[in-house]
Amino acid sequence: MSSPSSPSTSYQDYRTGEPAVDTKAPDGPVAERWNRRRFEAKLVNPANRRKHTVIVVGTGLAGGSAGATLAEAGYRVVQFCYQDSPRRAHSVAAQGGINAAKNYRNDGDSVQRLFYDTVKGGDFRSRESNVHRLAEISTEIIDQCVAQGVPFAREYGGLLDTRSFGGVQVSRTFYARGQTGQQLLLGAYQALSRQIATGAVEMHPRTEMLDLIVIDGRARGIVARDLLTGRIESHFADAVVLATGGYGNVFHLSTNAKNSNATAVWRAHRRGAHFANPCFTQIHPTCIPRSGDHQSKLTLMSESLRNDGRVWVPAEPGDDRAPQDIPEDERDYYLERLYPSFGNLVPRDIASRAAKNVCDEGRGVGPVGHGGGAEGSSVEGGGGRREGVYLDFADALARMGRKAVEEKYGNLFEMYARITAEDPYTRPMRIYPAIHYTMGGLWVDYDLMTTVPGLFAVGEANFSDHGANRLGASALMQGLADGYFVLPATLGDYLARTPHQPADPDHPAVHEAVRAVSDRLDALLSADGDRSSESFHRELGALLWDECGMSRTEEGLRKALERIPELRAEFWRRVRVPGSGAALNQSLEQANRVADHLELAELMCLDALHRAESCGGHFREEHRTADGEAAREDEEFCYAAAWEFTGTGTAPVLHKEALHFDHVHPTQRSYT
């Protein structure tokens, strides 16, 4: 891929037709913008809503809450998921909690403080308008979920209990043991099921979106494949909502479900939706270390464990004694030493880099890491060194007692024991960073609409709220805020301002989209090569982890940008996909997704190369402070980088959305 062309900054406002860099957010005090936007939005009469059809792709927290709320409002919703049930969405795997500024602990929390913590935690690379709206809505989310029956933990007096997550000094995270995502998803699923039963939602499980239909510049539908029969169908609507999650599985090994993928957002990108900040990927510091090349995914241990667990490594390199044999004065509680104000609850990007640094010094714990990926490449866990640190609950068990620890974390301890065959009650957990969340995603304006009119992206599928690093327990908050509260207000404004007319099923754009999907699947099935798509995915993931993972260098990124096009060409020449497209074929599903990963990976590396600074999870080795922390270059890079697709293998166009900080002024992040 050659260098990107000269950047442009013109986004068109669908309401005026005029160029607009940002985003439809009202002017004025940030605390008043969301109320102003809702008041200024045009409304669809309740009697007219049944005339409008909305497609929602995805049924996680963002998609499930959006589908249920839009249907409750009176719209006809057609919803899709590739799982066999909407409640199998990956949101079910979120463990630790959901943030909200209710200040039940009376410890100084407020909407303003949540706003401040989130902007700072994202290393000043997010929009103030979006973040303040998220902080405002957070309190409404908890009330909504309690009304739906979500069994949040409660303290002795009957109020909902809270705990802390990284990057904050208050206790604002509401939780249901270590099953918060599951319980929140069940609440949204119940609401969605009610609408399915009434006929307001037409649900299509085991169906995967493979292309976006754009007619006369507007998103009017999708092309989807029935994963059981292989049938390819077109579905039409007045607006399309993507709630398909992030793209962390491009790295092959991540904490995401194996089937999580980037196909929906990437195909939308190919149809004109700009992709923002793709290099902003989050490394979670609290994952079970990989154990060998047999693994297809990694397992997350909730960040909530850092409330009571202490992170440490031996003070001296090469100390391979059992943890119980290492005395206190020969241990290094390095997070508490380096960041005394926040200790073990520093943000995820900082905790992850600190773990990498102590392992680089030869002070890692556990077995020697495994190397040897596809064709001899190195992979996550790299050969020849120990990659793990201890997360120790000995002090908490002595202070609280085992029963109290079990009540707060029991299911997490059980999961760790089942996976590792080690008892975390008697021996410290071993953890190491892994790919988890993606802050990048489709560029959206304040209304959550992409650069394709009528196409909205919610939850992790968009880039809007977290900047260069997401604070823990904020993913669930954003997904539910977007689905329950933001999208229902802003999508109605779009529909009210857009002439209502049925999409033409015989439009040339429809036939072209269906043909493109069929041709791509046929090409995969007819390649008849000698390598599995899994082997290509593993090799791509190893390359990305090495060169665009926890740390990046110009040399490494250029190396990746040379190799990825070669690997992509080799994929189309050598991949082998058994079976046919006329039935259930998981090999075909996987190959189709890996093909998209091979394109997305190139854009991720290009974005990381162009952003010659360090911020949040994007750590360029050449750009660090004297004490080794991320060094932002605000004068040059204080913008969201939104990339426009121009063709596979050709240079994308960079558009810059300037970020303005009127209420939280950028400073060098400090957690000491």
Side-chain angles (χ1 to χ4, degrees):
M1 181 179 285
S2 59
S3 299
S5 57
S6 299
S8 163
T9 57
S10 60
Y11 290 123
Q12 194 173 65
D13 187 324
Y14 73 87
R15 296 175 296 179
T16 66
E18 297 296 324
V21 174
D22 182 344
T23 69
K24 306 191 188 79
D27 296 326
V30 69
E32 299 175 9
R33 291 176 186 173
W34 177 229
N35 281 334
R36 284 187 57 195
R37 179 69 190 100
R38 285 188 294 179
F39 177 73
E40 293 170 357
K42 294 192 70 174
L43 303 178
V44 179
N45 185 293
N48 289 333
R49 292 174 194 165
R50 66 178 67 96
K51 301 176 183 178
H52 292 282
T53 299
V54 180
I55 285 175
V56 180
V57 185
T59 59
L61 287 182
S65 59
T69 307
L70 291 170
E72 182 71 32
Y75 299 105
R76 179 176 180 268
V77 175
V78 184
Q79 195 145 4
F80 300 83
C81 68
Y82 58 71
Q83 299 92 348
D84 57 359
S85 166
R87 67 178 184 177
R88 294 288 296 273
H90 187 57
S91 298
V92 76
Q95 299 164 339
I98 177 171
N99 289 329
K102 279 193 169 288
N103 195 31
Y104 283 169
R105 290 289 185 96
N106 197 29
D107 57 359
D109 201 10
S110 64
V111 167
Q112 179 66 19
R113 188 174 295 278
L114 176 53
F115 166 55
Y116 173 84
D117 287 344
T118 304
V119 173
K120 176 186 175 183
D123 218 352
F124 303 94
R125 289 295 177 263
S126 55
R127 283 194 201 128
E128 282 194 333
S129 296
N130 289 67
V131 175
H132 197 281
R133 176 176 66 188
L134 180 64
E136 290 177 65
I137 291 174
S138 69
T139 59
E140 300 176 58
I141 295 170
I142 302 303
D143 295 339
Q144 169 89 6
C145 294
V146 169
Q148 290 178 331
V150 173
F152 287 120
R154 293 182 180 268
E155 50 92 44
Y156 178 77
L159 287 177
L160 300 184
D161 197 14
T162 54
R163 53 193 178 196
S164 295
F165 265 56
V168 304
Q169 292 181 305
V170 296
S171 184
R172 67 162 63 104
T173 304
F174 295 78
Y175 66 97
R177 298 188 73 193
Q179 305 168 348
T180 313
Q182 178 183 2
Q183 298 302 327
L184 292 172
L185 184 62
L186 287 174
Y189 174 65
Q190 289 174 140
L192 183 63
S193 295
R194 176 176 179 273
Q195 299 302 325
I196 294 172
T198 67
V201 173
E202 177 185 308
M203 190 68 223
H204 293 263
R206 300 295 286 147
T207 306
E208 184 170 25
M209 171 185 164
L210 296 183
D211 212 340
L212 177 71
I213 296 173
V214 180
I215 299 176
D216 298 330
R218 291 172 51 202
R220 298 306 309 269
I222 66 171
V223 180
R225 179 175 181 267
D226 185 313
L227 297 179
L228 298 180
T229 67
R231 183 175 180 180
I232 297 171
E233 295 182 328
S234 302
H235 301 267
F236 302 97
D238 300 297
V240 177
V241 180
L242 299 187
T244 53
Y247 50 92
N249 265 0
V250 68
F251 287 87
H252 184 257
L253 289 186
S254 78
T255 66
N256 291 272
K258 182 63 177 172
N259 279 338
S260 297
N261 64 85
T263 288
V265 293
W266 189 253
R267 302 294 172 86
H269 175 58
R270 291 172 62 96
R271 292 292 178 186
H274 294 180
F275 209 113
N277 300 337
C279 77
F280 285 173
T281 54
Q282 181 167 81
I283 317 293
H284 197 295
T286 317
C287 301
I288 297 178
R290 67 186 300 273
S291 58
D293 294 337
H294 63 280
Q295 283 184 267
S296 61
K297 74 175 300 294
L298 298 172
T299 302
L300 170 70
M301 298 305 297
S302 170
E303 183 177 323
S304 64
L305 293 169
R306 290 197 277 149
N307 272 266
D308 293 301
R310 301 178 69 192
V311 179
W312 65 275
V313 292
E316 297 297 326
D319 189 340
D320 59 358
R321 289 177 291 174
Q324 62 268 24
D325 296 332
I326 302 177
E328 281 289 316
D329 61 356
E330 296 180 31
R331 300 179 179 187
D332 180 13
Y333 294 90
Y334 58 91
L335 292 178
E336 299 172 27
R337 171 174 58 83
L338 293 170
Y339 310 102
S341 294
F342 285 75
N344 296 297
L345 285 172
V346 292
R348 291 175 177 179
D349 59 319
I350 291 175
S352 294
R353 284 196 296 275
K356 178 181 182 296
N357 290 341
V358 296
C359 291
D360 288 346
E361 295 168 1
R363 297 194 286 146
V365 302
V368 173
H370 295 263
E375 300 188 352
S377 63
S378 65
V379 295
E380 300 94 318
R385 67 175 189 164
R386 302 178 191 277
E387 297 206 325
V389 300
Y390 287 128
L391 180 61
D392 196 339
F393 274 78
D395 286 356
L397 287 164
R399 182 180 72 253
M400 302 163 57
R402 176 161 176 158
K403 182 178 180 181
V405 172
E406 287 178 341
E407 288 176 353
K408 291 181 72 173
Y409 308 113
N411 62 308
L412 298 173
F413 277 47
E414 179 184 359
M415 181 173 68
Y416 181 88
R418 286 175 178 243
I419 291 173
T420 65
E422 296 177 2
D423 181 7
Y425 290 103
T426 59
R427 183 184 181 94
M429 294 182 182
R430 287 180 297 108
I431 58 170
Y432 192 70
I435 292 291
H436 179 53
Y437 188 89
T438 51
M439 286 76 66
L442 294 183
W443 185 93
V444 293
D445 59 24
Y446 189 67
D447 289 354
L448 305 183
M449 190 165 72
T450 71
T451 51
V452 177
L455 176 66
F456 295 78
V458 295
E460 195 180 354
N462 73 41
F463 89 107
S464 64
D465 289 8
H466 304 297
N469 174 65
R470 177 177 67 80
L471 293 182
S474 288
L476 307 185
M477 177 174 60
Q478 186 207 349
L480 293 180
D482 286 356
Y484 280 136
F485 298 103
V486 181
L487 182 72
T490 60
L491 184 142
D493 178 77
Y494 167 76
L495 294 175
R497 296 177 185 272
T498 303
H500 179 246
Q501 57 186 34
D504 179 7
D506 290 323
H507 193 281
V510 177
H511 295 297
E512 189 275 329
V514 172
R515 183 169 58 252
V517 168
S518 298
D519 289 348
R520 188 179 181 92
L521 297 177
D522 289 344
L524 289 169
L525 289 165
S526 61
D528 197 28
D530 59 356
R531 286 187 63 179
S532 68
S533 59
E534 174 73 7
S535 72
F536 283 102
H537 195 185
R538 186 178 292 274
E539 183 173 352
L540 175 66
L543 180 66
L544 278 184
W545 177 257
D546 289 344
E547 312 301 353
C548 197
M550 262 196 286
S551 64
R552 298 101 187 257
T553 65
E554 179 178 352
E555 179 184 5
L557 291 166
R558 292 192 182 280
K559 172 185 172 183
L561 286 169
E562 289 180 5
R563 176 57 183 151
I564 291 171
E566 296 173 350
L567 187 62
R568 186 168 62 238
E570 185 178 347
F571 171 86
W572 286 103
R573 187 175 64 252
R574 294 184 58 188
V575 72
R576 180 175 180 81
V577 181
S580 75
L584 175 66
N585 187 341
Q586 292 182 308
S587 295
L588 179 59
E589 295 173 34
Q590 182 185 32
N592 199 29
R593 296 163 184 168
V594 172
D596 292 321
H597 286 149
L598 285 162
E599 296 182 8
L600 170 59
E602 189 172 17
L603 184 63
M604 292 170 62
C605 292
L606 180 64
D607 187 46
L609 179 64
H610 115 274
R611 190 171 284 276
E613 66 164 350
S614 291
C615 55
H618 169 64
F619 192 76
R620 286 281 296 269
E621 295 284 353
E622 307 94 336
H623 300 275
R624 59 172 75 197
T625 63
D627 55 356
E629 302 293 351
R632 295 193 321 272
E633 303 289 344
D634 291 333
E635 290 188 6
E636 189 174 356
F637 292 102
C638 194
Y639 59 77
W643 298 90
E644 178 184 355
F645 183 79
T646 60
T648 303
T650 63
V653 176
L654 171 62
H655 300 259
K656 298 179 180 179
E657 179 205 330
L659 299 172
H660 303 283
F661 296 94
D662 301 319
H663 300 81
V664 181
H665 299 290
T667 58
Q668 178 62 39
R669 281 197 306 169
S670 174
Y671 293 93
T672 58

